[in-house]
Amino acid sequence: MENGRMTLLFCNLEEGPPKILRLHGYARVIIRRDVEEDLMKKFPKAIVQSPGFRCVYRMRVDRVSSSCGYSLPIMRFDRYRETLNEYFDKKGCDGAKQYQIEKNSFSIDGMKSLTHWNVDSSREKVLSISKDGYYFGKIVGKDSSMKERLMSSVEQIVFVFSGYSNNYSLMQKIAIFFAGVLIGFYCSKR
């Protein structure tokens, strides 16, 4: 999380008075391996034992606000979907980790996500691969070849110059280009 701010939104979509409630505050992320056992016991086993379970957010609420909710529809709860559980049960823990690294390592604007905290940074690094306007993660070992790291940097440079990224000014694109040249020069000397 970039700055820890979090808002939880609750809506009454069932019978009764319409209402939207928001809890504003600051949260900290506790990744799966660091969640205390007493806290884990407060969640259903089906959730915490799922390979897709990643973290718990502990939030300090600083402000509570509400609004009318007059436009909220009235809906009826039928059942929980099992699709996510079935999907990650098939993938298993290693498959879930690989999926999270590939698909969830970066936000839509390229910021690192909490997936990076689940990687053993003493042995591995998650590189950002940009393709078709999306950011994907690729894990490489700390001892991976410089060629592999260079190729990831080249993929980033190609992405910036390919027109998919309109968020960069011309000066930023030139700076990224020269950074790529320097990386290539550095790698060729090693």
Side-chain angles (χ1 to χ4, degrees), residues 126-189:
V126 179
L127 299 177
S128 171
I129 308 292
S130 302
K131 182 178 178 186
D132 298 333
Y134 295 95
Y135 294 90
F136 297 94
K138 180 179 179 186
I139 199 158
V140 295
K142 284 283 190 180
D143 299 327
S144 65
S145 70
M146 289 305 264
K147 180 181 177 184
E148 189 172 9
R149 290 181 186 211
L150 174 62
M151 288 311 296
S152 176
S153 298
V154 168
E155 287 172 351
Q156 285 285 59
I157 293 164
V158 168
F159 171 73
V160 170
F161 282 97
S162 67
Y164 285 115
S165 177
N166 294 326
N167 297 336
Y168 294 102
S169 69
L170 179 60
M171 290 305 294
Q172 288 172 316
K173 288 180 179 183
I174 291 170
I176 292 170
F177 171 77
F178 282 112
V181 170
L182 289 173
I183 290 169
F185 179 75
Y186 174 77
C187 292
S188 68
K189 297 293 183 189

Side-chain angles (χ1 to χ4, degrees), residues 49-105:
Q49 291 177 352
S50 167
F53 174 71
R54 301 177 198 188
C55 68
V56 170
Y57 293 92
R58 180 166 275 169
M59 181 176 171
R60 183 190 80 226
V61 176
D62 295 330
R63 180 174 177 246
V64 177
S65 66
S66 65
S67 55
C68 65
Y70 290 159
S71 67
L72 292 174
I74 295 176
M75 305 174 90
R76 183 178 57 86
F77 176 78
D78 188 31
R79 69 184 183 284
Y80 290 105
R81 293 183 188 269
E82 292 297 321
T83 310
L84 182 69
N85 293 334
E86 291 167 359
Y87 181 80
F88 279 114
D89 285 345
K90 286 179 190 172
K91 284 201 162 286
C93 288
D94 290 339
K97 180 182 176 184
Q98 189 59 41
Y99 176 90
Q100 291 165 1
I101 288 169
E102 181 182 342
K103 305 281 187 172
N104 304 134
S105 290

